[in-house]
Amino acid sequence: MIRPSSGLPVYLYTGPVDMRKSINGLAILVEQEMALSPFDPALFVFCNRQRDKIKILCWEKNGFILWYKRLEKHRFKWPNPGDPTSIDSTLLNRLLDGYDIQPPKAHPTLNYRSLF
């Protein structure tokens, strides 16, 4: 499993984001809405309104990295607007695993035999 690097600060954009946005659109949100630089050594995390998709934006030396995770079932335990927007990489990994940042509770494992 590929995960973002640990040790970097993590900033959550707590409002819903249109997941059609790509690197440029997300970088503009970081600059204009979060008042941060997308070129800082940090991870910027975005979630859609349905809370089943997450994108993570990061600058690395000479270009952007964009991680994307889509849940097939269940929802991410996304914080409400106004909740703290800065977490550490441990909490980010817990969020990606399906745990609530406050009381931990994982999504159950899904076992499929085929796509259709």
Side-chain angles (χ1 to χ4, degrees):
M1 166 177 354
I2 299 171
R3 287 287 170 104
S5 300
S6 61
L8 292 175
V10 179
Y11 299 100
L12 304 178
Y13 183 83
T14 56
V17 173
D18 182 349
M19 285 291 125
R20 293 175 291 182
K21 288 187 185 296
S22 191
I23 290 170
N24 292 343
L26 296 174
I28 288 171
L29 282 178
V30 171
E31 282 186 337
Q32 294 179 355
E33 300 288 326
M34 300 173 79
L36 297 167
S37 172
F39 303 106
D40 286 346
L43 301 173
F44 303 97
V45 186
F46 307 89
C47 191
N48 66 334
R49 185 175 306 280
Q50 294 81 18
R51 297 186 341 261
D52 63 346
K53 298 174 184 81
I54 281 184
K55 284 189 176 182
I56 303 171
L57 181 69
C58 179
W59 174 261
E60 183 182 64
K61 298 180 186 176
N62 57 1
F64 282 103
I65 300 170
L66 186 63
W67 285 277
Y68 180 69
K69 182 167 184 176
R70 180 187 77 185
L71 295 178
E72 296 301 320
K73 191 175 177 182
H74 304 289
R75 303 288 178 248
F76 289 106
K77 309 292 193 278
W78 197 249
N80 296 317
D83 285 353
T85 57
S86 179
I87 61 174
D88 62 17
S89 59
T90 302
L91 285 178
L92 173 61
N93 281 308
R94 291 176 59 82
L95 183 69
L96 291 173
D97 287 337
Y99 291 97
D100 195 335
I101 293 176
Q102 299 299 325
K105 182 179 179 184
H107 297 292
T109 301
L110 302 176
N111 296 309
Y112 292 108
R113 293 182 188 252
S114 70
L115 290 175
F116 301 103

